[in-house]
Amino acid sequence: MTVLTGVCLCGAVRFEVDGPFERVSQCHCTSCKKISGGTGTVSGIAPTGAIRVLAGDEALRTFQPDEGLAKTFCAECGSNLFGGGWPESSHSSVRLSALDSPFDQKPEMHIFVRSVAAWETLPDDGAQRFDVRP
Ligand SMILES: [Zn+2]
Ligand SMILES: [Zn+2]
């Protein structure tokens, strides 16, 4: 087992997660574009119990969009940290952008490719593609 650590941009929130992730996926949905400021989120999926917030619990804010699963960010700096319904769901997403441990596992799937933007180029990386989610 590998323990990966993560931190938000301002350093208020620190967490760790037991690896390896069950899978790594990139989500291209419109919500993930809004929260990421880019083409979407890239996440490792882990059992929610494998994610431990070490510091900054009080800085965490969770937003529940009308459609899709809750997304959690740091209220101080806006860094997107968790998704997939954390902390209430059985499995949650950990944004790879928040990790500070070395990590080189590439996304094995692109989900919500129906929402790829006109300004976005889907990489030809051999990863499986799903219109919504598998
Ligand atoms: Zn922060
Ligand atoms: Zn998404």
Side-chain angles (χ1 to χ4, degrees):
M1 194 181 76
T2 326
V3 177
L4 300 164
T5 59
V7 62
C8 67
L9 179 60
C10 75
V13 180
R14 296 188 172 275
F15 66 89
E16 62 184 18
V17 54
D18 299 327
F21 291 118
E22 295 186 7
R23 67 175 186 277
V24 174
S25 66
Q26 180 161 6
C27 183
H28 299 264
C29 81
T30 51
S31 301
C32 284
K33 284 183 171 62
K34 295 279 188 202
I35 61 175
S36 72
T39 59
T41 55
V42 184
S43 303
I45 312 302
T48 299
I51 302 167
R52 294 175 295 279
V53 175
L54 304 176
D57 224 0
E58 70 289 346
L60 290 172
R61 294 289 181 282
T62 297
F63 176 69
Q64 174 62 62
D66 288 342
E67 283 184 37
L69 298 163
K71 291 140 180 39
T72 297
F73 61 96
C74 171
E76 299 297 325
C77 67
S79 297
N80 194 253
L81 300 171
F82 310 125
W86 183 90
E88 312 213 318
S89 49
S90 67
H91 285 72
S92 298
S93 305
V94 175
R95 308 306 184 203
L96 298 192
S97 49
L99 295 180
D100 60 357
S101 297
F103 186 81
D104 62 3
Q105 191 183 337
K106 306 277 193 278
E108 61 234 54
M109 57 177 78
H110 293 281
I111 66 173
F112 285 93
V113 297
R114 70 174 184 190
S115 302
V116 167
W119 45 262
E120 178 183 1
T121 304
L122 200 56
D124 196 9
D125 56 3
Q128 270 191 294
R129 297 174 179 188
F130 297 91
D131 260 356
V132 285
R133 58 175 77 248

